[in-house]
Amino acid sequence: MSKRIDAIDLNVYYGKFRAVADVDITIEPKSVTAFIGPSGCGKTTFLRTLNRMHEVLPGAHVEGKLLLDGDDIYAPGVDPVAVRSNVGMVFQRPNPFPTMTIRENVLAGLKLNGQRISKGDADAVVEKSLRGANLWQEVKDRLEKPGSGLSGGQQQRLCIARTIAVEPEVILMDEPCSALDPISTLAVEDLISELKEQYTVVIVTHNMQQAARVSDKTAFFNIAGTGKPGKLIEYAETSQIFNNPQEKSTEDYVSGRFG
Amino acid sequence: MTTTTQQSALHDPKSAGGRAGDKIFSGIALTAGIVILAILAFVALYLVVESLPALTAGEGELTNGKTSFWSYVGPMMVGTLIASGVALLLATPVAVGVALFISHYSPKHLSQPIGYVIDLLAAIPSVVYGAWGMTFLGPLLVPAYRWLSENAGWIPIFAGGYSQTGRTLFTASVVLAVMVLPIITSMCREIFVQTPKLHEEAALALGATRWEMVKMAVFPFARAGIVSAVMLGLGRALGETMAVALVLSPGVLSANLISAGNQTIPAEIALNFPEAFGMRQNELIAAGLVLFVITLVVNMIARWIVSRHKEFSGAN
């Protein structure tokens, strides 16, 4: 249910512009890994290469290898659609489908590729996924109401429920709490710690306390200047990044001296 | 000190000029609004007053031995609706497909020229479309009509012979379809490109293919807009005069779409109005009133369809 990610010498481009350079990283299964760094350092760009969402933008491409339990997801012949159903993603702003009910939102991913499931199975998946996203108690009586009627934090947990409904191997989160209030943030953070029991979780965050609270390992990305590619500066246990970083720039960043 | 500055700001002599500008502009806007309402009221009043003699006429009062106004206008109402309906059935899938191709499938360097070409279709005058339909498209379709008549004659709309000239209601519908295509296409494209990236990416990240993404994110978002676009096209098709008048060889109402026959209200008015006087004129104006009401009803139905899905429109 959860897979290991190895990036080997990965370079990410927007057209001719190299946005992220030479990333080598190993992300362990059943752990939470946080990407931190100043704006524009390429952490979101790198995250989006992990499920091939990066190439949705015209001209965007990737060089290097990205292994999911040893299988290169950028090998020729690999279908990005298949990659994305194995590597789920939660976005910065909650984005439930506005025309769908809460129930339909949870089932959205399951109904893809012409799959059919019985009503009983669907009910089970809806309950399991919503429970998994700590949302069941709040919405069980209004599953047929539109998902867009929920609060921001609930919408974000609905998106997480939608993601885990398809039982991916990995869950990517791109600043999942940046549009949420502190209480909703807490709810999502609690959820992240539960999710790592089953999934490999990778989270991009601007909030260093959040990285310190939820993650097992932390990767610090930085950029040398505008127009230069972002680089992975330091990657270690979260406690080490925050208490005893090896690199000067990491220390400056986590101690709030820049960024 | 601060009080003085605030006061002088409040009494800024320059802002008086701004106020005058505001007054002039709001005056112009108000006048324009009133003029539009007045014109609409006068046209409606004219239609109703001029129609009344025909609408209330008893037997024997109408021209050419017509027994009642409704038996005269009824078949043309049906003819108008069939012609427009078929035109939309033909145009909508093509328009949505082309719009989708431009907005989501084609590479950038292709989408712009295609957009221009589609817009160019809207620039062709309707009388040209009429001439084209009459002299080119009609004869071109004759073999198809022959085949349909011979092989699909058991379907009522193809039963009972076919036209040798191709000047049929179906040909008129095809011409109308081409005419409404650019309207529907460009409106749909506008809406498709506005689909929030957020929802498209949500679908893709779940493992949707491009087409599934379109079904999950683009169509639901654009549904109300597609309905509006189709209604706009329908408005054009219902009111189109010249093309139908030139293409169609009119006749009595018949279910057969591939032979001469049928008539639409606008074409009937255009063909007969120049020589009409007295009661005949009233009849034609009343027919125009009926067309106006049909268009109004169709638009209201469309609005109702759109509003029924309001809760799920994403507007909340």
Side-chain angles (χ1 to χ4, degrees):
Chain A
M1 276 287 288
S2 106
K3 286 192 175 171
R4 166 195 160 100
I5 303 167
D6 291 285
I8 301 166
D9 204 11
L10 200 81
N11 289 278
V12 192
Y13 296 83
Y14 289 105
K16 287 206 174 76
F17 173 65
R18 185 159 73 154
V20 179
D22 310 322
V23 175
D24 281 282
I25 193 169
T26 296
I27 295 167
E28 296 297 334
K30 298 196 179 178
S31 70
V32 178
T33 304
F35 292 174
I36 60 169
S39 297
C41 69
K43 54 196 188 304
T44 293
T45 302
F46 178 64
L47 186 81
R48 287 168 64 95
T49 62
L50 300 182
N51 68 341
R52 296 192 65 167
M53 279 299 284
H54 173 66
E55 66 202 46
V56 169
L57 302 166
H61 64 280
V62 169
E63 283 170 10
K65 278 192 172 156
L66 218 160
L67 310 181
L68 195 64
D69 259 10
D71 300 321
D72 187 0
I73 65 168
Y74 284 97
V78 172
D79 185 2
V81 170
V83 171
R84 290 178 202 138
S85 53
N86 280 312
V87 184
M89 188 165 202
V90 177
F91 293 82
Q92 194 168 354
R93 279 176 53 207
N95 56 357
F97 297 112
T99 53
M100 293 185 190
T101 63
I102 292 171
R103 183 188 148 87
E104 287 167 342
N105 260 295
V106 177
L107 294 173
L110 283 183
K111 292 193 170 158
L112 293 170
N113 312 316
Q115 288 176 36
R116 298 197 165 272
I117 46 171
S118 70
K119 190 174 176 302
D121 288 352
D123 287 341
V125 170
V126 169
E127 180 169 348
K128 181 167 165 247
S129 309
L130 286 171
R131 278 190 193 283
N134 291 340
L135 192 59
W136 175 252
Q137 290 302 329
E138 291 157 67
V139 300
K140 63 179 179 195
D141 298 321
R142 44 174 173 159
L143 293 175
E144 301 306 323
K145 292 266 186 268
S148 49
L150 299 174
S151 77
Q154 289 172 327
Q155 286 189 23
Q156 194 61 300
R157 279 179 283 148
L158 177 59
C159 293
I160 294 172
R162 180 175 69 186
T163 306
I164 58 181
V166 296
E167 305 196 332
E169 318 283 352
V170 178
I171 297 177
L172 309 176
M173 297 187 169
D174 182 8
E175 298 181 43
C177 301
S178 65
L180 305 184
D181 66 88
I183 292 174
S184 305
T185 300
L186 188 66
V188 172
E189 285 182 6
D190 286 346
L191 181 54
I192 291 170
S193 335
E194 287 170 31
L195 288 174
K196 77 166 178 183
E197 321 252 306
Q198 285 188 59
Y199 305 96
T200 309
V201 180
V202 185
I203 177 171
V204 164
T205 179
H206 266 132
N207 181 334
M208 278 181 274
Q209 286 79 24
Q210 180 170 66
R213 281 193 298 264
V214 300
S215 70
D216 303 306
K217 290 184 106 175
T218 297
F220 172 63
F221 287 77
N222 201 2
I223 185 171
T226 342
K228 301 259 175 57
K231 286 191 165 143
L232 174 60
I233 304 296
E234 190 170 355
Y235 175 51
E237 298 291 328
T238 298
S239 55
Q240 190 188 335
I241 291 278
F242 283 96
N243 300 323
N244 186 22
Q246 302 299 302
E247 299 284 333
K248 178 82 171 63
S249 59
T250 312
E251 189 182 349
D252 287 350
Y253 185 74
V254 297
S255 59
R257 244 166 271 168
F258 82 99
Chain B
M1 183 61 207
T2 29
T3 340
T4 5
T5 359
Q6 267 174 4
Q7 274 206 341
S8 66
L10 286 173
H11 293 283
D12 187 358
K14 269 184 281 180
S15 72
R19 272 206 300 283
D22 277 352
K23 272 184 185 153
I24 292 168
F25 183 76
S26 76
I28 292 173
L30 185 68
T31 321
I34 291 171
V35 166
I36 284 185
L37 284 179
I39 292 174
L40 193 69
F42 278 123
V43 171
L45 193 71
Y46 164 83
L47 273 178
V48 172
V49 169
E50 290 290 307
S51 306
L52 274 178
L55 290 171
T56 56
E59 221 171 315
E61 288 179 70
L62 292 167
T63 58
N64 302 336
K66 290 185 272 282
T67 48
S68 85
F69 172 71
W70 294 109
S71 68
Y72 161 64
V73 81
M76 291 192 307
M77 277 169 67
V78 178
T80 310
L81 288 173
I82 292 176
S84 310
V86 173
L88 285 184
L89 279 182
L90 295 173
T92 307
V94 178
V96 170
V98 172
L100 202 58
F101 178 75
I102 296 175
S103 66
H104 282 84
Y105 283 86
S106 78
K108 267 244 149 43
H109 63 274
L110 259 181
S111 62
Q112 273 212 331
I114 296 174
Y116 285 136
V117 170
I118 296 288
D119 287 343
L120 214 59
L121 279 179
I124 300 173
S126 60
V127 68
V128 175
Y129 275 116
W132 172 73
M134 179 176 145
T135 60
F136 179 78
L137 185 67
L140 194 73
L141 285 174
V142 169
Y145 292 156
R146 187 190 306 125
W147 187 89
L148 282 172
S149 172
E150 282 161 8
N151 297 289
W154 48 274
I155 304 171
I157 56 169
F158 302 130
Y162 65 97
S163 160
Q164 297 290 341
T165 58
R167 294 176 59 187
T168 69
L169 196 67
F170 190 83
T171 309
S173 297
V174 175
V175 174
L176 286 178
V178 178
M179 294 176 75
V180 300
L181 189 67
I183 303 176
I184 304 180
T185 305
S186 57
M187 252 189 94
C188 285
R189 186 196 55 187
E190 288 299 315
I191 297 151
F192 289 165
V193 296
Q194 284 172 21
T195 311
K197 270 272 161 317
L198 218 55
H199 297 146
E200 293 181 5
E201 293 198 336
L204 289 176
L206 281 174
T209 61
R210 192 101 72 110
W211 170 237
E212 285 167 337
M213 181 271 282
V214 167
K215 281 193 295 184
M216 276 172 104
V218 180
F219 283 162
F221 172 80
R223 182 168 44 203
I226 295 174
V227 173
S228 314
V230 170
M231 286 305 137
L232 212 65
L234 182 58
R236 168 110 205 244
L238 285 173
E240 177 49 43
T241 307
M242 220 47 228
V244 180
L246 286 179
V247 169
L248 184 61
S249 158
V252 294
L253 179 70
S254 110
N256 183 353
L257 300 184
I258 57 170
S259 74
N262 293 315
Q263 177 64 307
T264 70
I265 294 177
E268 171 82 358
I269 299 174
L271 290 173
N272 294 296
F273 206 79
E275 292 135 39
F277 58 89
M279 184 53 97
R280 183 72 181 122
Q281 207 171 43
N282 295 134
E283 286 169 8
L284 292 171
I285 292 172
L289 181 65
V290 169
L291 183 65
F292 175 63
V293 173
I294 291 176
T295 317
L296 203 69
V297 169
V298 163
N299 270 314
M300 278 158 63
I301 293 173
R303 270 171 196 271
W304 176 72
I305 293 173
V306 171
S307 70
R308 231 174 19 150
H309 295 283
K310 202 173 253 160
E311 197 186 3
F312 287 96
S313 72
N316 42 4

